[in-house]
Amino acid sequence: MSFVNFLPLLLIPMTTANFQLSFSGNKATERTADSAITLNVCTLVETGNPAFMIDYNRIGAAIDVAIKHANENILPKNLRISKIYKNAGTECAAVPPIIRRTMEIIQEGVVCNIYIGPGCSESALDAYKIAVYQKVPLIAVPGSNLIARTGRARADFQYLIRTSYVAVGIARALVAFLDYGNYTHFTIIVNRENMVYSEILDGLT
């Protein structure tokens, strides 16, 4: 399923029988049959680092097309999706800019109904803590190494959705291939400056 079709399917079940939305005490605007409600998609994606697998310059248009398609062709007229974008920075490290960007959104008075991003596992972990507090889903893109970084089970991340493969899965596939071929000695050379390959190596060790 494409992202264009996936996003509205995720958002539509958030509406309840009495047409009221509520997230972690932040109640969204109530709507009646003749009023409209806007669901805010807060997009926190890294921009400007070519070493990152995900960059807003590459995926921003896909998000815009998905929202436009949902608003024009899928959602009822009294339900709209709006995007709020913040640059998640160019770093993948502890306490990244993601916290500052999220605080900016809160200070602007925006209530996020869902988060998209970030891609970096460390950033995604911090963003996930905020999503848990607000009780809203986070679509990581992909936040591929959260499990290995934290040592926690996938089931512990109840608000997390990942749109792609994970580093641990690739590492397991490599190990399965080596086991199948009965390899006993092998060498893996990894460019640690590339976050994708670095996280895959972490899944192997």
Side-chain angles (χ1 to χ4, degrees), residues 65-115:
V65 169
I67 291 175
K68 185 175 186 292
H69 176 71
N71 284 334
E72 294 181 355
N73 303 298
I74 298 177
L75 298 177
K77 293 187 180 300
N78 57 357
L79 184 61
R80 300 288 89 185
I81 301 174
S82 176
K83 185 189 74 175
I84 294 89
Y85 165 71
K86 293 290 183 180
N87 184 357
T90 59
E91 301 177 4
C92 191
V95 194
I98 196 73
I99 300 299
R100 294 195 297 273
R101 300 291 86 84
T102 307
M103 291 304 299
E104 288 174 4
I105 292 175
I106 294 173
Q107 291 170 353
E108 291 167 4
V110 175
V111 176
C112 297
N113 302 115
I114 189 170
Y115 289 99

Side-chain angles (χ1 to χ4, degrees), residues 144-157:
S144 60
N145 210 29
L146 284 178
I147 309 304
R149 294 285 191 200
T150 61
R152 295 167 59 185
R154 176 64 180 86
D156 292 336
F157 296 88

Side-chain angles (χ1 to χ4, degrees), residues 1 3 16 36 66 81 90 111 131 148-149 157 159 163 169 185 197 199:
M1 178 180 293
F3 189 79
T16 59
I81 301 174
T90 59
V111 176
R149 294 285 191 200
F157 296 88
Y159 293 93
T163 58
H185 297 82
Y197 299 136
E199 290 190 344

Side-chain angles (χ1 to χ4, degrees), residues 128 132 136-138 152-161:
Y128 181 76
V132 170
V136 299
L138 182 145
R152 295 167 59 185
R154 176 64 180 86
D156 292 336
F157 296 88
Q158 298 182 13
Y159 293 93
L160 175 68
I161 301 167

